[in-house]
Amino acid sequence: MNQDSSSGPKPGLLRVAEHLEWINHSIGVLVAWLALAMVLMTFVVVVLRYVFDSGSIALQESVTYMYAILFMLGAAYTLQQDGHVRVDILYQRFSRRGRAWVNLLGTLLLLVPVSVFLLLSSWGYVADSWAVQEGSREAGGLPGVWLLKTLLLVMPALMLVQGLIWVLRNGLFLAGVDAALADPDEDSARVADSAAASPLKTNADG
């Protein structure tokens, strides 16, 4: 018998999924503001270069750092919002249970193995950078290259968190807990509202 969200308290695993979602959501919303920071910093670099005939390697590298942080830490949030490019041939035609099976199997067979591979294959590379406290190769550059490379571990870790969320939500839904997955229409509205509130929102008409 299916359990409705209004019929009683939420299952413990569903509460775990919601808490984990809060982590990825909070990180995504926070790093999204780096898009604005990159625009402002690029403007400063251009003004310094062409108006004052001056430059700063550190400022230029800071744009690269912000872009890397935005991309790497925002990947799990984008996945949470279903914002990654999807080649959709049959998925939209499936029932809610069919989509839940696709999401569950896709997470277990694709997302988790790829994330684990990235995590394990990057470990030695990042460890070597930490061992020497690697800094910029440019004079006057930023010293925290070793911190930047740490994102190679943080990103797949966050993707694994999102994968666990999907396993819990889709698994619970398939087990009969309807509240584990939002209705498709409600979910589309939630994604649209989130995109409208995010500084990463782009104007499709412009």
Side-chain angles (χ1 to χ4, degrees), residues 41 44-45 48-49 54-62 139-142:
M41 187 60 67
V44 170
V45 170
L48 287 176
R49 174 68 178 85
S54 178
S56 170
I57 299 297
L59 290 181
Q60 294 178 33
E61 289 187 349
S62 70
L142 296 176

Side-chain angles (χ1 to χ4, degrees), residues 121-144:
S121 62
S122 300
W123 187 269
Y125 180 69
V126 175
D128 290 342
S129 184
W130 272 67
V132 298
Q133 300 286 286
E134 183 180 3
S136 175
R137 297 181 180 181
E138 303 292 335
L142 296 176

Side-chain angles (χ1 to χ4, degrees), residues 3 14 28 31 33 39 47 73 81 84 103 126 131 151 153 162 173 197 200 202:
Q3 301 179 27
L14 183 54
V31 300
W33 288 100
V39 172
V47 170
L73 297 189
Q81 302 300 317
H84 288 287
N103 290 334
V126 175
L151 296 176
L153 301 179
Q162 187 58 40
F173 178 80
L200 292 179
T202 56

Side-chain angles (χ1 to χ4, degrees), residues 84-125:
H84 288 287
V85 175
R86 181 198 294 269
V87 180
D88 184 4
I89 300 176
L90 300 174
Y91 184 81
Q92 293 298 330
R93 302 179 184 179
F94 291 162
S95 65
R96 291 184 71 191
R97 288 188 64 84
R99 295 180 186 182
W101 275 114
V102 170
N103 290 334
L104 179 60
L105 294 177
T107 299
L108 293 175
L109 300 179
L110 296 174
L111 176 61
V112 171
V114 170
S115 297
V116 171
F117 172 77
L118 290 174
L119 193 62
L120 295 178
S121 62
S122 300
W123 187 269
Y125 180 69

Side-chain angles (χ1 to χ4, degrees), residues 23-51:
I23 295 174
N24 275 345
H25 181 83
S26 299
I27 293 174
V29 171
L30 180 63
V31 300
W33 288 100
L34 290 176
L36 176 59
M38 282 192 296
V39 172
L40 296 177
M41 187 60 67
T42 301
F43 174 76
V44 170
V45 170
V46 171
V47 170
L48 287 176
R49 174 68 178 85
Y50 292 101
V51 176

